[in-house]
């Protein structure tokens, strides 16, 4: 749980810009999921990756994209930022298929503000 | 798709009292139900989870119950303490056989305040 890291911690962008958020999973975890948490709401699923392949996609526009690297770290990219993209972006890692314990552990998040 | 409803949205209790938070889900194929605690400005932290082959699970002051027929599950916190004050989220997902957990669908959260 404490091993999931995200960068940057905070980010301020203007409308129309592009942003890249980064996540490193817990050592040994092979799956990374991205969530968007708007203030006062529960996290909303954006993407899940396992072994560099997309395993799931939530109801987000094509402006959102992601990828996973051979070391299992991941990037979330958002193009053409809108004011409504302002949120806490959470990364969660899980151990795929490990003894049935695929609990997701969250990172500290990246707080994105779009002005 | 799956939809998770969570009630109440806010809950205020006196220290030492019990707190109960309830969630319902729509997809009967969901089989994994975690609860997360999120303190202000911090990450969600797993506090307890339950799988569909179990009806109840306890961990010290925290317990979760699952009613698959009614498609609802509840979090019970006994002997509440001020440090239990936080936002609690329930979630549901389907674990595919031999596969990963799948994405979590979260409720909207319950803000629990424990007054000393």
């Amino acid at each position: 749980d404490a091993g999931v890291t995200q960068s940057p911690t905070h980010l301020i962008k203007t409308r129309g810009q592009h942003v890249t958020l980064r996540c490193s999973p817990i050592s040994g975890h092979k799956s990374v999921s991205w969530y968007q948490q708007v203030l006062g709401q529960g996290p909303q699923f954006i993407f899940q990756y396992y072994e560099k392949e997309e395993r799931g996609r939530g109801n987000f526009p094509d402006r959102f994209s992601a990828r996973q690297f051979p070391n299992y770290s991941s990037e979330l990219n958002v193009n053409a930022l809108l004011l409504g993209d302002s949120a806490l972006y959470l990364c969660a890692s899980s151990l795929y298929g490990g003894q049935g314990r695929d609990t997701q552990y969250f990172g500290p998040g990246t707080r994105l503000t779009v002005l | 798709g799956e939809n998770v409803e969570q009630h109440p949205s806010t809950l205020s209790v006196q220290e030492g009292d019990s707190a109960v938070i309830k969630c319902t889900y729509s997809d009967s194929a969901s089989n994994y139900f975690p609860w997360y605690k999120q303190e202000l400005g911090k990450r969600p932290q797993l506090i307890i989870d339950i799988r569909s082959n179990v009806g109840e699970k306890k961990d010290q002051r925290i317990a979760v119950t699952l009613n698959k027929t009614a498609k609802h599950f509840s979090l019970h916190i006994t002997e509440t303490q001020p440090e239990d004050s936080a936002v609690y989220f329930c979630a549901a997902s389907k674990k595919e056989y031999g596969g990963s957990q799948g994405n979590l669908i979260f409720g909207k959260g319950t803000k629990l305040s424990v007054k000393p």
Side-chain angles (χ1 to χ4, degrees):
Chain A
D1 51 5
V4 181
T5 60
Q6 291 186 245
S7 63
T9 306
H10 296 87
L11 205 50
I12 299 176
K13 292 285 189 178
T14 56
R15 281 177 296 175
Q17 284 190 311
H18 161 270
V19 69
T20 298
L21 311 181
R22 296 178 175 84
C23 170
S24 292
I26 292 171
S27 178
H29 282 197
K30 299 181 179 181
S31 181
V32 169
S33 296
W34 287 95
Y35 293 83
Q36 180 196 66
Q37 187 176 25
V38 174
L39 198 62
Q41 300 289 320
Q44 270 201 295
F45 171 72
I46 311 175
F47 287 109
Q48 182 183 43
Y49 275 79
Y50 169 71
E51 292 282 16
K52 297 172 288 180
E53 289 187 4
E54 183 183 302
R55 285 301 185 95
R57 174 187 285 254
N59 188 23
F60 280 80
D62 292 344
R63 300 185 295 109
F64 289 76
S65 63
R67 56 179 175 167
Q68 187 177 32
F69 299 99
N71 66 354
Y72 304 113
S73 67
S74 178
E75 282 182 356
L76 175 70
N77 294 282
V78 187
N79 292 323
L81 286 167
L82 303 174
L83 295 178
D85 295 331
S86 296
L88 179 68
Y89 288 84
L90 294 162
C91 169
S93 81
S94 61
L95 179 62
Y96 174 79
Q99 306 295 322
R101 288 284 302 169
D102 283 336
T103 300
Q104 294 194 17
Y105 297 94
F106 284 89
T110 293
R111 173 72 62 189
L112 172 65
T113 302
V114 182
L115 302 176
Chain B
E2 175 65 280
N3 183 51
V4 176
E5 301 274 347
Q6 182 171 348
H7 299 281
S9 56
T10 60
L11 181 59
S12 183
V13 299
Q14 287 294 132
E15 182 177 0
D17 286 351
S18 295
V20 180
I21 302 170
K22 298 182 179 182
C23 288
T24 59
Y25 61 98
S26 60
D27 189 344
S28 57
S30 290
N31 55 13
Y32 175 66
F33 308 93
W35 286 88
Y36 287 85
K37 174 184 179 183
Q38 188 173 31
E39 297 176 52
L40 193 62
K42 296 192 175 180
R43 75 187 76 188
Q45 291 202 302
L46 180 75
I47 54 172
I48 196 167
D49 57 12
I50 192 167
R51 300 184 190 275
S52 58
N53 58 347
V54 175
E56 183 175 359
K57 184 177 178 180
K58 285 183 91 171
D59 183 4
Q60 300 182 338
R61 297 186 297 109
I62 294 174
V64 58
T65 58
L66 171 65
N67 183 326
K68 285 172 55 182
T69 303
K71 290 191 283 188
H72 68 68
F73 56 112
S74 300
L75 178 70
H76 305 252
I77 305 175
T78 58
E79 300 171 26
T80 53
Q81 301 166 3
E83 50 266 37
D84 293 330
S85 296
V87 178
Y88 291 80
F89 292 98
C90 63
S93 78
K94 292 181 286 190
K95 184 180 188 301
E96 299 164 359
Y97 177 77
S100 68
Q101 179 176 290
N103 55 287
L104 293 171
I105 304 299
F106 284 84
K108 292 189 175 182
T110 296
K111 184 177 181 180
L112 174 64
S113 300
V114 180
K115 297 182 179 180

